[in-house]
Amino acid sequence: MGNYRDLSGKLNEKETNRILIMDNNNLEFCTQHKDIFLVDEVFRNYDIILIPEWVHREISHSERRLEYLARIPVPYFIINEEEDYVEFVEYQEFRLMELFKHASSSISPARKYFSGLKKYYNQNVDLPEQWIDDFYEEGFEVKDSSDLRKNAGETSILVLVYLLLHHYPSSIKNITIFSSDKGTMTIKEKIMDNLHKIELIHNPATPISFMSTDILLIEAVSKGWADIEDIERLRPNSKRVIYSMKLENQSSSRHEYVMETGDFIKALKNIEQYHFEF
């Protein structure tokens, strides 16, 4: 059973909802370092947490993640792709199909699925009844011989973002994507390039941001949850970053590359000069 009606009731209580959409990778990071990332601190700036069903499937493969999630003092809703997503578009399923198609356009099995689906709806008035469920079963590679699907969670997250902006145009202050998967940002760009074709309501002034593990580390150091000396342990590998620097002439320069941990520590020591996006 979906959670659309309960979510709508909560969102309609005010017009400045700060929404966080959860991904499994960041939840795992916080779970591994729960002594630093205390739930009362990490999630205090959000009113509602949303978890797509396919992301929750990944979370559910770890009791530790489920325990950490249960301690978060913010109401959260598991949003079912098949039952809830259609309600966000008032059952205009062809519009939803276009959103899914653009969100997964870089995934070969998904392109193959939508090619077959196009042949179907060219010969029929409506889409198949179970087309969303079929999309997740056939449009993604199986992950590690399990019931999980590679890239399914990232696709669900970004589709949900734009469904929320469409359905609740005056109830959302900002949306934060709690993920360190660069694929989520790539999907966001693909959707933005094609949003005019889908005819979804979208206020470009509504902020959509990413809370990557690097940004979590910046917050941890700035708020005293962790020390600079902890960073090498918490960030043992190089990571792709996106940040901008404000220059003396009031212009700014934007950078995207794989940053070594040593360079990240140097940036942390002069963090007022940087603005990290990812």
Side-chain angles (χ1 to χ4, degrees), residues 9-272:
K10 184 68 178 176
L11 285 173
N12 289 331
E13 289 178 3
K14 63 178 185 176
E15 296 183 352
T16 56
N17 289 288
R18 301 164 299 172
I19 297 175
L20 180 141
I21 302 182
M22 182 78 72
D23 199 357
N24 177 61
N25 50 42
N26 273 26
L27 185 65
E28 174 63 22
F29 179 75
C30 290
T31 301
Q32 289 177 355
H33 307 291
K34 60 185 178 182
D35 56 322
I36 293 174
F37 298 102
L38 304 177
V39 292
D40 290 340
E41 295 294 334
V42 174
F43 302 99
R44 67 188 309 170
N45 293 321
Y46 307 104
D47 300 304
I48 297 173
I49 294 173
L50 302 181
I51 308 173
E53 174 66 35
W54 276 91
V55 173
H56 193 260
R57 288 192 188 193
E58 293 189 69
I59 293 171
S60 298
H61 278 242
S62 165
E63 286 297 326
R64 293 185 305 112
R65 290 195 293 264
L66 288 173
E67 290 169 4
Y68 185 90
L69 178 63
R71 293 201 304 273
I72 296 175
V74 177
Y76 73 85
F77 298 84
I78 299 168
I79 307 300
N80 184 282
E81 290 87 350
E82 187 169 15
E83 296 182 26
D84 294 320
Y85 281 27
V86 292
E87 297 218 48
F88 292 131
V89 287
E90 299 82 32
Y91 289 91
Q92 298 178 55
E93 295 192 42
F94 280 97
R95 187 175 288 183
L96 179 58
M97 181 200 68
E98 286 295 320
L99 183 54
F100 271 121
K101 185 170 74 172
H102 291 302
S104 60
S105 61
S106 64
I107 302 168
S108 180
R111 291 199 303 272
K112 182 179 179 181
Y113 172 78
F114 282 115
S115 177
L117 191 61
K118 182 177 181 179
K119 294 177 182 177
Y120 178 93
Y121 66 72
N122 280 341
Q123 299 172 3
N124 298 271
V125 176
D126 297 317
L127 293 169
E129 185 175 345
Q130 303 292 328
W131 73 269
I132 298 175
D133 188 51
D134 292 342
F135 166 61
Y136 279 93
E137 291 297 327
E138 301 174 25
F140 302 93
E141 295 179 13
V142 176
K143 184 185 289 188
D144 302 324
S145 301
S146 67
D147 62 336
L148 305 179
R149 298 292 184 271
K150 186 178 180 181
N151 303 123
E154 293 89 334
T155 300
S156 290
I157 287 170
L158 267 299
V159 169
L160 179 58
V161 167
Y162 288 95
L163 291 175
L164 292 170
L165 293 175
H166 168 75
H167 198 60
Y168 307 103
S170 60
S171 300
I172 297 173
K173 182 178 182 180
N174 56 58
I175 297 177
T176 300
I177 300 171
F178 198 67
S179 176
S180 297
D181 193 322
K182 182 62 169 57
T184 55
M185 184 167 284
T186 302
I187 294 170
K188 177 179 179 287
E189 292 166 358
K190 288 182 179 296
I191 292 175
M192 287 300 297
D193 287 343
N194 294 280
L195 204 58
H196 64 286
K197 301 176 185 177
I198 309 170
E199 299 180 350
L200 291 179
I201 297 170
H202 169 238
N203 180 357
T206 303
I208 303 170
S209 62
F210 290 83
M211 179 63 78
S212 66
T213 53
D214 276 351
I215 297 178
L216 276 169
L217 290 174
I218 292 169
E219 186 176 25
V221 171
S222 66
K223 293 185 176 178
W225 308 342
D227 298 321
I228 289 281
E229 291 73 25
D230 296 319
I231 299 302
E232 205 163 342
R233 170 177 63 87
L234 296 170
R235 192 187 192 268
N237 302 311
S238 303
K239 292 185 179 179
R240 180 166 292 278
V241 299
I242 302 175
Y243 67 87
S244 58
M245 297 183 67
K246 189 172 183 179
L247 306 180
E248 293 178 357
N249 62 2
Q250 301 305 307
S251 66
S252 62
S253 60
R254 191 170 186 266
H255 306 263
E256 179 176 352
Y257 63 95
V258 176
M259 179 180 271
E260 301 285 344
T261 297
D263 292 330
F264 182 70
I265 291 172
K266 290 178 184 177
L268 276 174
K269 291 178 179 179
N270 298 280
I271 198 60
E272 67 280 354

